[in-house]
Amino acid sequence: MRRLGVLAAVPAVSVLTLAACGGGDEDGGAAGAAGPADSFTWAFENASGGAENPWLVLAEEYTEETGVQIETQPLPPDSYGLTMRTQLQGGNAPALMMFAPGSGQSSSVIPLAEAGYLEPLGEASAALVPEGSESQFGIDGEIYAQPTSLIPVAVTWNAGAAGEAGVEYPEDFDAYLEACRSLADEGRSMAVIAGAVPPNPGLMSMAISATRVYAETPDWNDQRAAGETTFAESEGWQETLQTVVDLNEAGCFQPGAPGAGFDAITQGITQGTSLTAFLPGTAANELMNATPGLELDTRAFPPAEGEPYLLASPNYVLSVNADADEGEKQAALDFLEWMADPENAERVTEIQGGVPITGPGENLNAAYEPVRDLLESGSYAPLPNQGWPNPGVYDALATGAQGLLTGQSDVQSVLEAMDQAYDQ
Amino acid sequence: MTATMGTPQDTTPVVRGAAAGAGGGAPFRSRRPRPLISHGRWWWALPAVLVVVLIHYLATAGGAFYAFTDWTGVGDFDFIGLENFRRIFDDPAMIGSIQNTLFLAFGFLIATNVVGLVLALALNRTLRTRYLLRVLFFMPVVLSPLAVSYVWKFIFDFNGPLNGVLGWIGMEPRLWLADPGLALWAVLVVMAWQTTGMVMVIYLAGLATVPAEIEEAAALDGASTWRRFRHITLPSIRPSVAIASTLMLIQGLRVFDQVMALTGGGPAGATETLATQVYKETFALSNFGFGAALALLLTLIMLVFAVLQQAATKDRS
């Protein structure tokens, strides 16, 4: 009865909410149809919409090697979480799905595992989960999500443009601010952000929190979950958001930054008018692949004091639909096993543009060489919102950071809004 | 004389063969108003009524039920009474969304009706190019709101043509869509720009029913242009006023496309409306229960204002 109610609710709420929000044109997914075991369906986010998406490349290579056909379903990121939830409840979800670890995003894996929609994975998948992060990949001792590669989230440094401008990457925050001022006088900007798109100021704030919060207190999220601290009380989080204000006041961002979209980042970096951007390492790699001659690498955001620290975590995980056709389910599990093989895992990392889940090896992507020491020494924390209980906390951070740029918010009100969202 | 008093549709006596003086001697039966669907035939409409009830009203009622739960889109839920509504009225961001919705709705209502009426009056008679101008003013109506919004987004861009013109006349560029003081006005301009042509057409249809000879008689009697408009034209187009204002109020209250395309509700919630909050809470943050409560509130607001507006524009003559 409860399941019927749940099934009725999606169209019901949708009708009540937005008549204009028509469904997409995805075909119903092949999981409901009886598919042979030598094929399965796979859904994932495809932000760029291009054929160079790493998952598409990987699917093609797998088919070439094994003969197993993969019907891919690349979906736009903004509606991906909702689409997967609806399909899982409707019983027509694909056999294999890409999610985010933890609970802090609309496409997070843990709420779906708790609702019983996902298949527990085997030992090979469990062995890839970073130590101490098990709670973001499973529940009750079972693992429901196989991590792919580590994705550093930090500062993308436009090394080529910096060389032309004669600027070295600043080692501390004061030097960073000084570089901002001198570059602004030359008509360049130290950083380019998509201020009109809240997730980008949000990502910037999280990247800054690596040195201000997690370097000193790696288990800060656990303390927050235990009620031992709050965002509003945390000096580290206060300092993080104050750093955003300082960057803004020092003229670090490009002119018109609060109203800029993602196109501003692409233009600023590829045209060399901006020297840094706050991007996931994979996005920087895609940008570099698409622009011949562009030299980008990844740096830690300069600490106010102390040692540099980084955010790096498997931001994409793969899960198997518990209600999929048995043949397809087995084919999807075989694929995950294939991905877990060290040789194949290395290839996955190479295609995805990340860092091997087991840590940097000899074949580390050149873009990550400047942070090799941090990766080798374990001086990194997972993306903070993976450990938050709902997507509202990150939304409060992202919207609040946007408000700091426009002067609508102050540091304390943003942190209080994050606490309020956390406790919902 | 009696025949001239009837309407062209009034053929009942002829059809029934019961007209007085027909010579048949049949008794005259008093006419009772016929129901819209006669008894014995109503069930023909039953399938359609059932479909409407099941798909429209039952689904809406189902959605309304979830407004009283904490459902997140997956898994179980609890019935939490009016908690979602308490949250709405305790949250300054939600109150801001309600205020923005009302600002846009009434700004849109006033702007489209005033400008649309002025355009209709200007293009009603006499002007030789009026047919061409009517087409030009109506053209934005047929475009997709999203397409129009993206064109205006380019115009409002920091490096866009509007700031280019400002720079050309020596003024500083403005952050049209990222300035909390300007962004809502920018959205209103785009909404009104696209829809004014529709209101103009409604008023043109109304003005076509105003007898020119009455206006000419009033003009000969020395009535000023304003008095002729106030006492002849406006009362004559009252039905058009009622239609145009009702449509624009409802369209303004449910504004979504333009806000999402121009600002996404930003900067920092400065242009969020109830409709964008419903989308964000329900589909982006997976708060289905809370989103349903917001949607229910929006529906109630629209219902109340539509009824009030109908009462305000009712023809009391």
Side-chain angles (χ1 to χ4, degrees), chain B residues 35-50:
Chain B
L36 190 62
I37 300 173
S38 303
H39 179 68
R41 294 175 193 155
W42 62 269
W43 50 269
W44 284 94
L46 196 58
V49 171
L50 278 177

Side-chain angles (χ1 to χ4, degrees), chain A residues 2 5-6 9-10 12-18 21 82 85 89 106 111-112 115 117 196 255-256 258-259 391-392 395 399 402-403 406 408 424, chain B residues 59-60 62-64 66 71-77 87 158 175 178 180 256 267-270 278-280 282-286 288 292 295:
Chain A
R2 169 59 57 86
V6 166
V10 171
V13 174
S14 301
V15 167
L16 182 68
T17 52
L18 289 173
C21 292
L82 176 71
R85 282 167 177 246
Q89 288 173 100
S106 63
L112 299 172
Y117 291 119
D395 180 66
T399 309
Q402 192 184 34
T406 58
Q408 290 165 271
Q424 289 294 336
Chain B
T60 304
Y66 283 91
W71 195 44
T72 60
V74 289
D76 293 340
F77 56 83
R87 264 183 67 195
F158 186 78
L175 286 164
F256 177 79
V278 167
Y279 175 79
K280 186 172 143 185
T282 309
F283 300 124
L285 302 181
S286 301
F288 272 66

Side-chain angles (χ1 to χ4, degrees), chain A residues 50-410:
Chain A
E52 294 305 312
N53 180 286
W55 302 124
L56 287 171
V57 176
L58 193 65
E60 277 179 24
E61 291 195 4
Y62 183 70
T63 300
E64 272 178 31
E65 187 175 321
T66 63
V68 176
Q69 298 294 319
I70 302 179
E71 186 188 329
T72 54
Q73 295 180 10
L75 299 170
D78 53 350
S79 59
Y80 181 79
L82 176 71
T83 306
M84 284 303 102
R85 282 167 177 246
T86 307
Q87 289 192 357
L88 283 166
Q89 288 173 100
N92 61 347
L96 187 66
M97 295 158 288
M98 189 212 85
F99 290 119
S103 308
Q105 297 172 58
S106 63
S107 60
S108 290
V109 74
I110 294 300
L112 299 172
E114 286 172 341
Y117 291 119
L118 304 180
E119 183 79 4
L121 303 180
E123 286 300 315
S125 300
L128 296 175
V129 173
E131 200 177 328
S133 301
E134 290 80 3
S135 62
Q136 292 174 18
F137 297 83
I139 50 171
D140 301 331
E142 296 276 14
I143 294 297
Y144 292 87
Q146 177 169 313
T148 53
S149 53
L150 284 176
I151 313 286
V153 174
V155 177
T156 297
W157 174 239
N158 195 346
E164 287 174 20
V167 178
E168 293 283 325
Y169 189 75
E171 294 300 320
D172 60 57
F173 186 52
D174 288 337
Y176 192 96
L177 291 179
E178 189 53 45
C180 289
R181 295 186 190 101
S182 61
L183 282 167
D185 293 340
E186 297 170 16
R188 294 182 194 240
S189 71
M190 185 63 177
V192 57
I193 57 164
V197 190
N200 192 242
L203 193 76
M204 172 180 70
S205 305
M206 289 201 299
I208 295 169
S209 75
T211 48
R212 272 66 176 173
V213 180
Y214 295 95
E216 193 176 327
T217 320
D219 64 342
W220 191 90
N221 278 358
D222 295 334
Q223 292 183 18
R224 180 63 183 86
E228 294 166 10
T229 184
T230 64
F231 287 101
E233 289 170 2
S234 162
E235 285 182 17
W237 275 105
Q238 290 169 8
E239 198 183 333
T240 297
L241 295 191
Q242 186 56 47
T243 302
V244 175
V245 175
D246 293 344
L247 290 172
N248 195 31
E249 289 177 350
C252 292
F253 306 124
Q254 83 279 16
F262 279 121
D263 55 319
I265 296 181
T266 311
Q267 286 177 17
I269 291 294
T270 56
Q271 293 172 7
T273 52
S274 299
L275 300 195
T276 62
F278 296 90
L279 297 171
T282 47
N285 264 298
E286 277 193 45
L287 207 54
M288 206 155 42
N289 293 339
T291 316
L294 189 65
E295 291 176 49
L296 303 179
D297 59 45
T298 300
R299 310 289 177 114
F301 187 78
E305 54 191 36
E307 295 300 312
Y309 206 73
L310 199 64
L311 296 181
S313 47
N315 300 342
Y316 304 108
V317 299
L318 297 174
S319 297
V320 174
N321 178 5
D323 287 336
D325 172 89
E326 282 304 320
E328 276 203 74
K329 198 190 293 184
Q330 191 53 52
L333 289 168
D334 289 347
F335 175 71
L336 291 185
E337 200 171 322
W338 177 85
M339 279 185 70
D341 179 81
E343 195 177 318
N344 297 327
E346 195 173 315
R347 178 65 185 141
V348 171
T349 301
E350 186 186 335
I351 293 172
Q352 203 179 9
V355 175
I357 193 77
T358 49
E362 287 178 7
N363 299 326
L364 181 68
N365 189 319
Y368 301 126
E369 277 301 334
V371 291
R372 175 189 276 276
D373 290 347
L374 298 177
L375 292 167
E376 283 178 344
S377 63
S379 299
Y380 59 87
L383 214 57
N385 64 341
Q386 289 179 4
W388 297 342
N390 63 64
V393 187
Y394 181 57
D395 180 66
L397 171 64
T399 309
Q402 192 184 34
L404 293 176
L405 298 176
T406 58
Q408 290 165 271
S409 316
D410 58 76

Side-chain angles (χ1 to χ4, degrees), chain B residues 41-102:
Chain B
R41 294 175 193 155
W42 62 269
W43 50 269
W44 284 94
L46 196 58
V49 171
L50 278 177
V51 167
V52 169
V53 168
L54 282 174
I55 293 178
H56 199 102
Y57 292 101
L58 205 63
T60 304
F65 167 75
Y66 283 91
F68 303 94
T69 71
D70 61 355
W71 195 44
T72 60
V74 289
D76 293 340
F77 56 83
D78 292 316
F79 184 77
I80 57 170
L82 296 173
E83 175 62 20
N84 285 330
F85 295 93
R86 188 194 62 74
R87 264 183 67 195
I88 290 172
F89 291 107
D90 279 353
D91 188 342
M94 296 302 154
I95 298 294
S97 301
I98 295 172
Q99 289 170 344
N100 289 344
T101 305
L102 295 178

